[in-house]
Amino acid sequence: MIVQPRDRESSATLTGEVQARFRADLAFRVSGQVVARTVDVGAHVNTGDVLARLDPAEQQADVDAAIATVASAEARLRVASATFARQKALIASGFTTRAVYDQAEEGLRTAEGVLEAAKAQLGSSRDALSHTVLRAEADGVITARNLEAGQVVPAAQPVFSLAQDGARDAVFEVYESVFLGQTDARHVTLALVSDPSVTATGEVREISPVIDAKSSTIRVKVSIKDPPAAMTLGSAVAGTVKAKTQNEIVLPWSALTAAGRKPAVWAVDPKTQTASLKPVAVGAYEAGQVLISAGLEPGDRVVVDGGKLLSIGQPVTEEGDRS
């Protein structure tokens, strides 16, 4: 065949998963025993919905104690206020000393401070009581659950994972070699693996700077533009990126041979009609064909069949040539 370069556009397709762009691990702020669980994995929840409850006995006791402390502080403040009022009237008439008056004023200020501290403690206790109820912080879907009724959970231990409604990403584990090609990696065509007719377009939003040590892959997140309703969380999607159009020489795999340890092809001199080995550089190997990146020029004549039977300088007749 006569070598003629041609424009060629290739593509790469990988399989990924649809995930929520924003995810949150939900946990109780206090420890305790779970007395109720109201949702399960896959449930859609709205902001403020109750997800689980802890036994509030301990926190309720703290609230009751704080209420009693506030009542005691208020009583002490009333006594201190009355004492200060009497000393103020007496000092104006000259029937008490300055030291006693100052002591009464200090007692009043101390009682006021004790009351403020008691009220703050009451507020903290009520907050702790409210934290025995775990609520959804945003609209979304529960994607993981790590508790059961009767289980004792410590504070801050994640018990639910919430995938928030809104933007969706297609997440792919990509081999590093994909980034070495001349691909237009910013734009991705997406299709459901279970139903290829459901498609969407996406754009690369995030590329992990770290290669996973176990799989030797890089995590790539693709922002899905206007995701179809069928692309639900967890759906498997195929993402396709197209390579930039390149002018390449494509030969059948049968044309490739070797000159020593280097790839070569049998080239035919058009004047002498004899064969000779010509070293080439292979850009890529594909099914049934090879891409030649260097070593051949447009118009070169290359043997594509029967090369195993040739030797250097042997005359070659093209198929169909009767000479």
Side-chain angles (χ1 to χ4, degrees):
M1 66 176 288
I2 297 176
V3 172
Q4 293 293 343
R6 63 186 182 185
D7 289 338
R8 181 176 175 277
E9 184 180 71
S10 60
S11 63
T13 301
L14 295 173
T15 303
E17 180 185 6
V18 176
Q19 296 182 4
R21 180 173 301 179
F22 303 106
R23 303 173 63 187
D25 290 331
L26 306 182
F28 287 102
R29 298 185 186 183
V30 295
S31 59
Q33 185 179 32
V34 179
V35 295
R37 172 180 59 81
T38 59
V39 296
D40 208 339
V41 174
H44 186 276
V45 296
N46 298 317
T47 303
D49 285 355
V50 175
L51 308 181
R53 298 178 184 272
L54 296 179
D55 184 355
E58 180 180 351
Q59 288 73 23
Q60 184 62 57
D62 291 340
V63 170
D64 295 340
I67 291 174
T69 302
V70 169
S72 175
E74 288 175 341
R76 292 182 181 182
L77 178 60
R78 286 193 296 270
V79 173
S81 297
T83 301
F84 177 70
R86 285 195 304 271
Q87 292 299 321
K88 187 175 182 181
L90 291 173
I91 198 170
S93 303
F95 293 107
T96 189
T97 64
R98 188 70 187 182
V100 175
Y101 172 81
D102 291 343
Q103 185 177 2
E105 185 178 16
E106 182 181 354
L108 175 62
R109 301 291 177 257
T110 301
E112 289 174 345
V114 171
L115 178 59
E116 291 299 322
K119 288 181 177 179
Q121 182 60 43
L122 176 59
S124 178
S125 300
R126 284 174 173 166
D127 283 343
L129 179 61
S130 68
H131 293 158
T132 59
V133 179
L134 184 61
R135 300 180 183 274
E137 298 180 354
D139 297 348
V141 177
I142 300 297
T143 58
R145 173 179 59 82
N146 300 309
L147 88 167
E148 289 290 350
Q151 178 180 345
V152 176
V153 296
Q157 174 181 298
V159 293
F160 288 104
S161 289
L162 177 66
Q164 298 183 18
D165 289 345
R168 294 285 185 263
D169 286 339
V171 180
F172 299 89
E173 300 295 336
V174 180
Y175 286 101
E176 186 181 13
S177 59
V178 173
F179 294 95
L180 303 179
Q182 299 296 319
T183 58
D184 182 14
R186 302 302 304 179
H187 301 282
V188 182
T189 301
L190 304 169
L192 273 180
V193 172
S194 59
D195 186 0
S197 63
V198 179
T199 61
T201 58
E203 186 170 346
V204 174
R205 180 178 67 84
E206 178 184 310
I207 299 176
S208 173
V210 180
I211 298 177
D212 187 276
K214 295 182 179 180
S215 62
S216 299
T217 58
I218 299 172
R219 175 162 292 190
V220 176
K221 295 182 179 180
V222 177
S223 174
I224 305 176
K225 297 180 181 179
D226 301 324
M231 283 191 180
T232 56
L233 291 175
S235 299
V237 291
T240 302
V241 292
K242 293 184 178 180
K244 298 177 181 178
T245 301
Q246 296 182 359
N247 196 255
E248 298 176 328
I249 293 175
V250 181
L251 295 178
W253 65 267
S254 57
L256 194 64
T257 184
R261 294 186 177 182
K262 296 182 178 180
V265 296
W266 286 103
V268 179
D269 189 329
K271 295 181 180 180
T272 62
Q273 294 291 312
T274 57
S276 61
L277 278 176
K278 193 170 187 178
V280 295
V282 179
Y285 296 89
E286 295 187 350
Q289 60 187 15
V290 292
L291 310 181
I292 306 300
S293 59
L296 293 177
E297 298 294 335
D300 287 350
R301 303 173 72 189
V302 175
V303 176
V304 296
D305 192 16
K308 296 180 179 180
L309 305 176
L310 294 179
S311 58
I312 297 176
Q314 182 176 348
V316 175
T317 299
E318 291 187 50
E319 185 179 6
D321 190 347
R322 294 175 183 240
S323 57

